[in-house]
Amino acid sequence: MFEQKHRFSNEIRRLRFEQGEMTQEELAQKVGVTRQTIIALEAGKYLPSLLLAVKIARVFGKNVEEVFSIMEEEEA
């Protein structure tokens, strides 16, 4: 039987730097969370709610799929 695992990744850090080196604090304020939440997201230690994912994507003028991605890995 195959078990599927999902790896979740994001482009937040890259997008922050493309936006004039936006700080984690600035992004946090724009989307209504703490800087620690942004740190955890960038490190892959926290999965955002759908609402937060949409808010972050809008800050960068991107679709959610351009900021966040899910990769499926199959294991035997």
Side-chain angles (χ1 to χ4, degrees), residues 30-49:
K30 289 176 186 260
V31 298
V33 298
T34 65
R35 184 176 66 87
Q36 287 77 14
T37 299
I38 302 301
I39 291 168
L41 283 166
E42 289 184 355
K45 295 182 179 181
Y46 176 72
L47 296 177
S49 67

Side-chain angles (χ1 to χ4, degrees), residues 13-24 26:
R13 183 174 172 79
R14 180 182 61 79
L15 291 167
R16 281 193 307 105
F17 282 93
E18 287 178 1
Q19 293 279 327
E21 298 191 20
M22 178 188 297
T23 67
Q24 292 169 330
E26 289 170 329

